Amino acid sequence: DTAVSQTPKYLVTQMGNDKSIKCEQNLGHDTMYWYKQDSKKFLKIMFSYNNKELIINETVPNRFSPKSPDKAHLNLHINSLELGDSAVYFCASSRQGRGYTFGSGTRLTVV
Amino acid sequence: GIQVEQSPPDLILQEGANSTLRCNFSDSVNNLQWFHQNPWGQLINLFYIPSGTKQNGRLSATTVATERYSLLYISSSQTTDSGVYFCAVDSNFGNEKLTFGTGTRLTIIP
């Protein structure tokens, strides 16, 4: 059973398109996150949700909109994709005292 | 915000060697984790270790919270240990979020 699963694994799309990445966790964690890993491998938080409520929004362009229909799901929608959005996006979940678990990542390539 | 520094940035070793990776952080932490990002890009959780010492096979980790550092030890390296090792911390103050260091890239040569 995959603890944090995200789809798709790979996404190649043209500039200007709108795309979504989905994430689900079956760990019963209360908090979920989106992280972005750039070409230099640096990992930085984008958003966090706790029980469907947005907690952190780290200076991310408003073309990025997270949505949490319930505490087990956190999706990421990106409008008007730009070349600079190419990166690997990781979903994660956490529970206090138990640490964070990451999904396997979605490699987004904008052409 | 909290700063996380890892050293060395790169490490090349022969199979069978031992290594020590270091993580320094600038403030007190609730959580510290070590991750291994393998060549396929997956982030594998190695240790959840805000304090103390843990061992898992050939890997062990020690965090000295009062001195704000953590060490990851890898013994008898294998080629499958290659990849990038990240230290990440969650500080005691503000909203819960994991801040990553810049990583140590480990290459094990057969």
Side-chain angles (χ1 to χ4, degrees):
Chain A
D1 282 344
T2 305
V4 180
S5 60
Q6 47 182 117
T7 54
K9 278 187 171 318
Y10 301 96
L11 192 48
V12 181
T13 187
Q14 288 194 315
M15 275 176 59
N17 283 351
D18 303 339
K19 290 292 177 187
S20 291
I21 308 171
K22 295 188 175 183
C23 179
E24 176 181 2
Q25 55 98 2
N26 63 4
L27 296 166
H29 288 173
D30 292 324
T31 310
M32 295 184 72
Y33 310 81
W34 280 108
Y35 278 79
K36 180 180 180 181
Q37 187 172 40
D38 61 24
S39 56
K40 294 185 179 174
K41 299 287 192 184
F42 187 63
L43 276 147
K44 191 172 178 198
I45 189 166
M46 299 172 69
F47 301 103
S48 78
Y49 268 75
N50 184 280
N51 271 322
K52 304 193 297 175
E53 186 184 338
L54 179 66
I55 302 297
I56 294 174
N57 179 344
E58 289 274 314
T59 59
V60 177
N62 57 15
R63 297 182 296 103
F64 289 78
S65 52
K67 281 211 173 79
S68 181
D70 56 60
K71 75 174 197 176
H73 295 84
L74 180 61
N75 304 323
L76 183 66
H77 188 77
I78 316 169
N79 288 331
S80 305
L81 278 154
E82 300 178 357
L83 292 176
D85 297 331
S86 296
V88 181
Y89 293 85
F90 285 95
C91 177
S93 69
S94 75
R95 187 170 171 185
Q96 196 124 26
R98 302 281 181 91
Y100 292 63
T101 303
F102 281 77
S104 54
T106 295
R107 183 175 294 275
L108 172 65
T109 304
V110 182
V111 297
Chain B
I2 193 165
Q3 305 297 315
V4 185
E5 292 180 359
Q6 290 186 242
S7 59
D10 290 281
L11 193 52
I12 302 174
L13 297 170
Q14 284 222 293
E15 209 167 13
N18 301 330
S19 57
T20 301
L21 281 56
R22 186 176 179 104
C23 172
N24 292 335
F25 43 96
S26 61
D27 210 337
S28 55
V29 297
N30 273 331
N31 173 23
L32 187 146
Q33 284 180 257
W34 283 97
F35 294 90
H36 174 214
Q37 188 165 38
N38 63 23
W40 295 271
Q42 291 176 303
L43 271 172
I44 311 297
N45 180 36
L46 299 176
F47 293 103
Y48 167 73
I49 187 164
S51 63
T53 297
K54 288 185 178 178
Q55 176 144 15
N56 184 0
R58 296 181 296 103
L59 272 60
S60 64
T62 295
T63 297
V64 183
T66 51
E67 296 187 22
R68 299 185 184 166
Y69 72 88
S70 183
L71 302 173
L72 177 69
Y73 306 98
I74 305 173
S75 64
S76 305
S77 300
Q78 299 176 358
T79 54
T80 50
D81 295 331
S82 295
V84 182
Y85 289 80
F86 289 102
C87 168
V89 303
D90 184 349
S91 75
N92 280 337
F93 306 103
N95 290 321
E96 191 176 316
K97 67 175 182 181
L98 211 55
T99 299
F100 280 79
T102 49
T104 292
R105 182 178 295 277
L106 178 64
T107 304
I108 305 298
I109 301 169

